[in-house]
Amino acid sequence: MEKQEKFLKSVVGIALPVTLQSLLQSSFSVIDQLMIGKLGSNSIAGVGLGGKFASVYSVLLAAVAAAVGIMISQYIGQREEKEVSRSFFANLFLAVGIALAFTVMCVFFSGHIMRFYTKDALTKEIAADYLRILAFSYVPMAVSSLLSTMLRCMEAAVFPLYASIVAVALNTSRILENVTMNFRHT
């Protein structure tokens, strides 16, 4: 019975922070959409199209993070600390390499990329600008994603949750600032 309680406590200690972190990360797009919604339909469309291409990067990054999670968990179970480290850094270099490739594509070829998504010139321009800005988040996103995965595997899932809480608070403060400025001007 004691073993089952310890297992349940461990599952809740990992699952609850991971679930809450996922919910918080989902709020980023909602907050951003609220901010962008005031800029008009072309901006909404441009950001939406840029986000569609960015989701390709997110899927690749999630695949690398899933792989590193499996590898680290196995090595932790085998008590192979050297392999945990080696696996983490090998996958970190892979994730950063993918991030750099997407960064280069989005910074230098965002207009070309958006041609596949729309023919509307204004929407394409806004989407390309958005991609260029978003591109600089890819490397930090890769590092934080892999660090979060490693911490979860080490039963320290609460630390990425705390980081997400701070990030959402900072992101939300931008929208509150924006709303406050809009009320002052009306």
Side-chain angles (χ1 to χ4, degrees), residues 38-117:
K38 297 187 180 287
L39 299 177
S41 59
N42 284 326
S43 295
I44 293 169
V47 169
L49 291 177
K52 285 182 187 279
F53 182 76
S55 69
V56 174
Y57 168 72
S58 296
V59 168
L60 287 172
L61 181 59
V64 173
V68 77
I70 292 167
M71 294 168 74
I72 287 174
S73 295
Q74 288 179 346
Y75 291 132
I76 286 174
Q78 297 169 358
R79 301 193 194 313
E80 296 279 345
E81 289 180 27
K82 185 177 178 183
E83 294 302 319
V84 168
S85 178
R86 203 169 94 178
S87 170
F88 172 76
F89 284 108
N91 284 289
L92 180 63
F93 289 131
L94 174 63
V96 169
I98 292 169
L100 289 172
F102 270 82
T103 299
V104 167
M105 283 190 293
C106 291
V107 168
F108 296 108
F109 305 107
S110 59
H112 298 292
I113 293 167
M114 285 299 104
R115 283 186 198 161
F116 293 108
Y117 290 88

Side-chain angles (χ1 to χ4, degrees), residues 178-186:
N178 191 7
V179 167
T180 304
M181 288 176 64
N182 286 338
F183 281 129
R184 287 182 191 157
H185 292 273
T186 57

